[in-house]
Structures are given as structure tokens and as C-alpha cells.
């Protein structure tokens, strides 16, 4: 199992290690396990496992944990709730980055145990990883569109371009859930996506979108045009990606 | 002067008129959702533009038509935002071809005549349907609500005092949670209901669970009760977290939850 290979490769930032040490000191009796994981979309996070039957009221335990924990994505679960790590979450692109895609893989395979018993074997993997991509694409329609509309009416044209490029990268990463995407950081995602799905039209749209980032130095009118073009390219890109990754994926 | 419900309608009708005039045939429909769609506007508090704009098939394919549509939507939203009414976000927009692949919970509120109304164009609601796995994915949202919105609020249990503005923010988080929770619990238990009906339905499904804290929070929001001080807010939060814990247990013992289909090996219900 790859999990056995990873602990030596996962680097735990000093500030997180220190905060986890004080967290353990604060709630040792109520903390069964702490797992640090790396994640391609959010950088990193912590799984905190509390007992099925805690010795104090649950709200008080949560308050102690959230006060002492490091400021990273936290998943605080009881052992019987660990299955939640393999389910879709609240995927609202632009409002926040959801780490549920890849999460079960990262906790199992790209992680290190920091405290207590090793519960990683109890975390299931998703039965249908494509669900994450479907939800993300619906999330892009419902949340990312109003987001870029808002940026457009606030005339934040440069941000429109940067965020559409970032969103396209995240979507490619989510298309790779179930295909080893958990180990591919965002910088390398386009290459891995092309190697897996290989759509020439999708690649051409991606390259055009990525090239718009050059507009940072352009005159204001050119940046405005680039922002509107970026929105159109993102829509084209998402449609092409859906067709090759969901409807007709290569074997 | 505080706004009235009529002010909301005046702005929203002007928004629709402008969209119809500028977009012409590329505009297929505008559906109002949210509190305006349900006819439950709380003036000065309800968000103005919970509107779903649907563009004609092919608009997103063509760069020129897409850009023109975006510019019209942006201008129309700017007009609405300048009214001074609460403007949380611009409208949502879809293309005609996307109607049969909708987000499970959003669709429920958008298609129901109780929760939405046609503002302009063709009534597309009968064509909207949930996409593949949309209901199963929606059934997972209660877990996400707990992890991402409810549990982090627990830090306020230890805070003795907060400035008034931060108390208002804290209270708004409780309101958001109270509005969404019945909807998400129904979905998690495989019994989806639109937002307007979810508070009643969740009580039918879980008759032994006390949801009173949600009623109290929403009564304060409607101005029927005064905003409590910090101690009162902490007490509401504690009860909401206890309610969340109780619901988690109920969901775990339920054998009908759609999220089970998304796991290779679903958990066994605890004895």
C-alpha cells in the first residue's frame, strides 16, 4: 500500500506540527487520532478523530478543538463517520475551495499520522469518482458564473482572467479523481490531464485561456476584452472537458 | 427610509425589462427564486436578485453572443445593485441545453410554483431536472454543513463578549445554518423537499427530534423576538450543535440515505 511509502515523504510544516502538539496537550483524552495530509487543491489539512462516545458534551469538545487547532482545513469526525471523507462536499467554486475531491485518497495515501491510532485503513474510497466532477461542473454553473459576473461589474478584469485560469486547472484536477489526481499538484495538472484524456480541442482552448494571463501588462481596454474572452473560453473548456472526461472517457 | 416589498418588485421588474429589451431572442426565461420567489420578502434583509436567467441554446458557443449577453447581464445587475436594496450576488445564468442537468436541491426550489415565479419569457421550469447522481450528491451536503459551517462556529462558545457588529455577524451565521439545515437533513435521509416545505417535512421524518432552536433563530431574524445578548447567542449555538449531533446519529441509522450508493462499502448502522 502506498500509504506505507508516504510518511517519510510528507513534509509537515513546523507551525502545524507545533499547533498540533499543543492541540494534543489540550484535548489528549478526547483525541483518538490526528492525521496530516497534503492536498492538491488546498495544500494540506488535518483529520481529527474524536471518540464515538466523548467524555464531555460534544459542543464543548468542538470548541476546545477548534480553538487550539492550526488554521488549516479540518475534518473532525467520530470513527463511525470516517466514510464522510469519501463523499462529495459543498462544491461552490469561487466561494471556497472544497477539498472533498481527492480527500479520501489524500488521507489514505498522502498523509502522516501525528497522534494516536492509525485509522487510515478505515477510510473508504469513493465508489464513483466521476460524481465529484459532475458536481464540480454544476457548481461552476451555479457559483462560478455569478462570481465572474460580480468581478466583471466591479471591473476587476485582471482577477477574472487569473481566476478563470485557476478554475480550469482545478477542474482538470477533479477530472483526475480516481486516476491518481491526488498526487498531482496544480502546476502539473494540464500535462497529466492531456496525457489521460488527450482532447486536442480542449488542449487548444486551455492554451488560449492560459495565454490570456499575459494580459497583466496590457492596456485597460485590452484587459477588459481579455476578461470577457476568458469567461467564454472557460465555458467552452468546461463543456469540452465534460464531454471527454464524463461522456466518452478513454479506457 | 426603510425599503418596502414594492421597492423590491420595482427594481426586479426594471431588471427584467432591460434584459428583455437588450437580449431579444437570446433571452429564453427569467425565473425568480429565493424569498421573492416564495413571496416571503423581509424588506431590508432579503437578498434582491435570486434570479435564474436562461439563455437560448447556442448562446454560450458563440463568442460574440456570449460576450454581448454577459455585458447586458452585468449592466442590468449594476442597475439593480444601485437601488440600495440588499444585493448579495448577481443573478445566476444557464443555457437552455443545461436545464436537464441541474443541481439537485437548487432545482427543487427553482421548479416549484410555491418557491419560484416566472418573471419574463418562457416558463422553462417543467424542463428542469436533476442531473445524474445529483440527488445522491445533495444527500451529502448535511455532512459538509456540519464540518465547514457548524463546527467552526463552536469557537464562539468560549468567547465571553463580542462587539455588536460581530454579534450580528455571528447571528447571521446562525440564521444561514437554520435556513439550510431542514433542507439538507431531508436530502440526507432520502426525502428531498423544497426549502419552503422542508421545515415541516423534517419534523415528520424525525418526530422525536426537537427543532425548536431553528424556529427561535428565525423568529429573531423576522424581528418577532429581540436579538439576544452574547449569552443568549451562545445558548442558541450550543443547542444548534447538539441538534446537529443528534441528526448525525439519526442519519447514520437510516438505511435509505442516497449517499450510501456513493461508497464502495457503506457503513453498517450502529446497534
Amino acid at each position: 500500500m502506498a500509504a506505507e511509502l508516504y510518511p517519510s515523504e510528507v513534509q509537515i510544516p513546523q507551525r502545524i506540527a507545533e499547533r498540533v502538539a499543543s492541540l494534543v496537550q489540550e484535548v489528549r483524552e478526547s483525541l483518538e487520532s490526528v492525521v496530516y495530509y497534503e492536498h492538491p487543491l488546498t495544500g494540506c489539512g488535518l483529520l481529527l478523530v474524536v471518540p464515538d462516545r466523548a467524555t464531555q458534551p460534544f459542543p464543548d469538545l468542538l470548541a476546545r478543538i477548534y480553538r487550539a487547532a492550526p488554521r488549516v482545513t479540518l475534518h473532525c469526525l467520530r470513527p463511525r463517520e470516517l466514510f464522510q471523507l469519501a463523499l462529495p462536499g459543498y462544491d461552490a467554486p469561487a466561494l471556497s475551495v472544497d477539498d472533498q475531491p481527492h480527500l479520501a485518497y489524500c488521507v489514505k495515501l498522502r498523509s502522516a499520522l501525528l497522534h494516536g491510532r492509525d485509522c487510515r485503513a478505515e477510510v473508504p474510497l469513493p465508489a464513483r469518482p466521476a460524481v465529484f466532477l459532475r458536481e464540480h461542473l454544476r457548481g461552476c454553473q451555479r457559483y462560478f458564473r455569478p462570481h465572474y459576473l460580480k468581478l466583471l461589474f466591479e471591473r476587476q478584469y485582471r482577477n477574472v482572467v487569473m481566476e478563470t485560469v485557476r478554475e480550469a486547472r482545478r477542474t482538470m484536477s477533479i477530472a483526475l479523481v480516481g486516476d491518481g489526481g491526488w498526487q498531482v499538484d496544480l502546476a502539473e495538472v494540464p500535462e497529466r490531464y492531456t496525457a489521460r484524456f488527450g482532447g486536442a480541442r480542449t488542449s487548444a482552448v486551455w492554451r488560449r485561456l492560459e495565454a490570456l494571463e499575459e494580459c497583466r501588462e496590457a492596456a485597460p481596454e485590452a484587459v477588459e476584452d481579455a476578461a470577457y474572452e476568458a469567461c467564454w473560453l472557460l465555458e467552452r473548456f468546461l463543456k469540452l472537458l465534460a464531454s471527454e472526461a464524463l461522456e466518452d472517457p478513454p479506457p | 427610509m426603510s425599503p418596502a416589498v414594492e421597492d423590491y418588485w420595482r427594481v426586479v421588474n426594471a431588471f427584467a425589462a432591460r434584459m428583455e429589451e437588450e437580449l431579444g431572442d437570446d433571452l429564453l426565461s427569467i425565473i425568480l427564486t429565493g424569498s421573492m420567489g416564495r413571496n416571503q420578502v423581509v424588506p431590508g434583509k432579503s437578498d434582491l436578485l435570486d434570479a435564474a436567467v436562461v439563455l437560448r441554446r447556442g448562446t454560450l458557443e458563440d463568442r460574440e453572443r456570449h460576450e454581448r449577453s454577459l455585458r447586458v447581464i452585468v449592466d442590468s445587475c449594476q442597475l439593480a445593485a444601485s437601488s440600495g436594496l440588499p444585493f448579495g450576488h448577481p443573478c445566476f445564468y444557464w443555457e437552455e441545453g443545461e436545464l436537464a442537468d441541474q443541481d439537485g436541491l437548487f432545482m427543487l426550489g427553482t421548479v416549484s410554483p410555491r418557491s419560484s415565479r416566472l418573471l419574463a419569457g418562457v416558463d422553462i421550469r417543467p424542463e428542469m431536472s436533476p442531473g445524474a447522481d445529483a440527488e445522491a450528491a445533495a444527500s451529502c451536503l448535511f455532512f459538509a454543513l456540519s464540518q465547514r459551517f457548524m463546527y467552526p462556529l463552536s469557537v464562539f462558545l468560549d468567547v465571553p463578549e463580542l462587539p455588536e457588529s460581530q454579534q450580528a455577524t455571528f447571528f447571521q451565521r446562525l440564521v444561514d445554518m437554520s435556513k439550510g439545515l431542514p433542507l439538507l437533513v431531508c436530502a440526507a435521509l432520502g426525502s428531498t423537499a423544497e426549502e419552503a416545505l422542508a421545515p415541516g417535512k423534517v419534523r415528520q421524518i424525525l418526530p422525536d427530534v426537537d427543532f425548536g432552536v431553528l424556529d427561535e433563530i428565525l423568529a429573531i431574524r423576522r424581528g418577532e423576538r429581540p436579538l439576544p445578548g452574547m449569552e443568549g447567542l451562545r445558548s442558541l449555538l450550543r443547542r444548534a450543535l447538539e441538534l446537529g449531533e443528534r441528526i448525525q446519529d439519526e442519519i447514520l441509522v437510516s438505511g435509505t440515505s442516497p449517499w450510501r450508493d456513493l461508497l464502495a462499502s457503506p457503513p453498517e448502522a450502529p446497534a
Side-chain angles (χ1 to χ4, degrees):
Chain A
M1 189 74 163
E4 290 156 18
L5 304 175
Y6 260 91
S8 58
E9 294 179 24
V10 170
Q11 299 291 314
I12 300 145
Q14 184 68 20
R15 67 181 173 89
I16 293 180
E18 284 169 8
R19 285 298 293 260
V20 168
S22 23
L23 169 69
V24 170
Q25 206 163 17
E26 167 77 20
V27 278
R28 178 180 294 278
E29 80 290 351
S30 298
L31 214 44
E32 272 192 32
S33 177
V34 180
V35 174
Y36 170 86
Y37 61 88
E38 294 178 339
H39 194 287
L41 301 181
T42 57
C44 66
L46 288 171
L47 166 64
L48 309 166
V49 182
V50 298
D52 275 329
R53 298 197 188 285
T55 53
Q56 62 184 307
F58 194 53
D60 294 321
L61 175 58
L62 286 175
R64 289 172 69 198
I65 288 174
Y66 276 80
R67 195 184 52 221
R71 301 282 173 264
V72 293
T73 309
L74 300 180
H75 295 271
C76 185
L77 296 163
R78 296 175 288 187
R80 61 185 156 139
E81 296 167 343
L82 286 171
F83 69 89
Q84 293 176 19
L85 298 172
L87 294 175
Y90 176 61
D91 200 338
L95 299 184
S96 59
V97 178
D98 180 29
D99 81 345
Q100 293 286 142
H102 303 303
L103 180 60
Y105 299 92
C106 291
V107 168
K108 286 177 88 73
L109 307 171
R110 197 173 166 181
S111 62
L113 178 68
L114 299 187
H115 167 75
R117 73 180 180 87
D118 194 346
C119 60
R120 288 175 289 183
E122 298 160 41
V123 177
L125 289 176
R128 280 181 277 153
V131 174
F132 291 96
L133 179 58
R134 283 207 181 89
E135 278 307 296
H136 186 74
L137 291 169
R138 286 189 197 113
C140 284
Q141 290 175 0
R142 183 167 166 200
Y143 297 102
F144 200 73
R145 284 176 180 169
H147 177 66
Y148 66 58
L149 286 175
K150 190 162 194 232
L151 293 178
L152 288 171
F153 94 56
E154 288 169 351
R155 299 181 196 283
Q156 295 189 47
Y157 299 124
R158 283 186 177 82
N159 284 343
V160 172
V161 175
M162 303 310 149
E163 293 197 26
T164 48
V165 171
R166 218 177 297 147
E167 187 46 53
R169 276 184 195 276
R170 278 198 287 262
T171 308
M172 282 188 270
S173 173
I174 294 168
L176 291 167
V177 169
D179 279 310
W182 55 271
Q183 53 196 326
V184 186
D185 289 324
L186 281 181
E188 283 82 47
V189 147
E191 200 180 320
R192 277 293 288 271
Y193 177 85
T194 306
R196 170 70 183 90
F197 295 102
R201 285 171 69 203
T202 321
S203 296
V205 174
W206 160 248
R207 282 196 300 275
R208 174 70 196 144
L209 179 59
E210 193 185 25
L212 288 179
E213 282 194 303
E214 303 299 320
C215 79
R216 270 178 293 208
E217 312 301 325
E221 310 79 58
V223 182
E224 179 177 344
D225 288 346
Y228 279 93
E229 186 181 359
C231 296
W232 177 69
L233 286 168
L234 180 71
E235 296 294 346
R236 297 289 306 128
F237 178 79
L238 296 178
K239 203 164 266 192
L240 290 166
L241 179 144
S243 114
E244 65 195 18
L246 286 176
E247 290 159 29
D248 190 20
Chain B
M1 205 171 79
S2 46
V5 176
E6 294 73 35
D7 297 316
Y8 277 72
W9 282 111
R10 186 177 40 77
V11 175
V12 161
N13 285 327
F15 168 82
R18 186 181 178 131
M19 295 278 283
E20 282 185 303
E21 189 184 325
E22 302 276 332
L23 284 177
D25 285 346
D26 277 345
L27 177 69
L28 183 65
S29 179
I30 305 178
I31 304 289
L32 269 185
T33 60
S35 48
M36 289 198 78
R38 291 191 304 273
N39 211 10
Q40 291 176 343
V41 174
V42 182
K45 291 184 179 167
S46 293
D47 204 11
L48 176 63
L49 208 55
D50 281 327
V53 170
V54 182
L55 300 171
R56 188 78 63 181
R57 192 184 297 272
T59 314
L60 302 189
E61 296 278 322
D62 183 283
R63 184 180 165 191
E64 225 169 86
R65 282 167 73 195
H66 183 246
E67 178 169 337
R68 193 172 64 91
S69 303
L70 283 196
R71 287 187 186 274
V72 171
I73 295 173
V74 167
D75 287 349
S76 307
C77 287
Q78 260 165 344
L79 190 76
S82 66
S83 68
L85 294 172
F87 185 85
H89 54 80
C91 59
F92 303 97
Y93 82 90
W94 277 272
E95 193 188 52
E96 191 179 356
E98 297 165 345
L99 296 177
D101 182 23
Q102 291 294 304
D103 167 327
L105 294 182
F106 183 67
M107 194 211 70
L108 283 174
T110 311
V111 299
S112 162
R114 261 184 306 268
S115 300
S116 65
R117 63 170 72 188
L118 178 66
L119 188 64
V122 178
D123 193 351
I124 46 81
R125 289 174 289 182
E127 290 163 50
M128 296 179 81
S129 58
D133 293 321
E135 287 179 15
S139 75
C140 306
L141 289 174
F142 173 77
F143 303 133
L145 175 87
S146 301
Q147 291 292 323
R148 290 178 59 178
F149 300 105
M150 287 177 74
Y151 292 2
L153 281 180
S154 65
V155 293
F156 287 109
L157 290 176
D158 282 345
V159 177
E161 210 40 72
L162 279 177
E164 237 170 66
S165 64
Q166 287 181 35
Q167 284 186 29
T169 308
F170 174 16
F171 179 67
Q172 186 55 45
R173 301 277 294 275
L174 292 175
V175 169
D176 294 342
M177 186 204 66
S178 303
K179 284 163 73 179
L181 194 129
L183 186 73
L184 302 186
V185 177
C186 287
L189 292 165
S191 196
T192 48
E194 63 189 88
E195 193 175 336
L197 302 181
K201 192 162 188 181
V202 78
R203 285 167 166 85
Q204 282 172 12
I205 307 170
L206 299 174
D208 298 332
V209 177
D210 179 5
F211 290 92
V213 63
L214 306 185
D215 299 334
E216 286 180 40
I217 290 169
L218 295 178
I220 295 166
R221 192 229 183 200
R222 289 192 299 269
E224 294 163 13
R225 293 182 187 194
L227 183 69
M230 199 54 202
E231 198 179 327
L233 287 174
R234 278 197 303 266
S235 164
L236 289 171
L237 171 62
R238 175 179 294 280
R239 288 168 58 202
L241 289 168
E242 285 166 353
L243 173 62
E245 185 191 10
R246 173 79 199 275
I247 292 169
Q248 285 268 1
D249 292 341
E250 295 285 346
I251 292 172
L252 288 179
V253 296
S254 160
T256 56
S257 302
W259 50 262
R260 290 178 178 274
D261 295 341
L262 301 177
L263 295 169
S265 48
E268 286 175 22

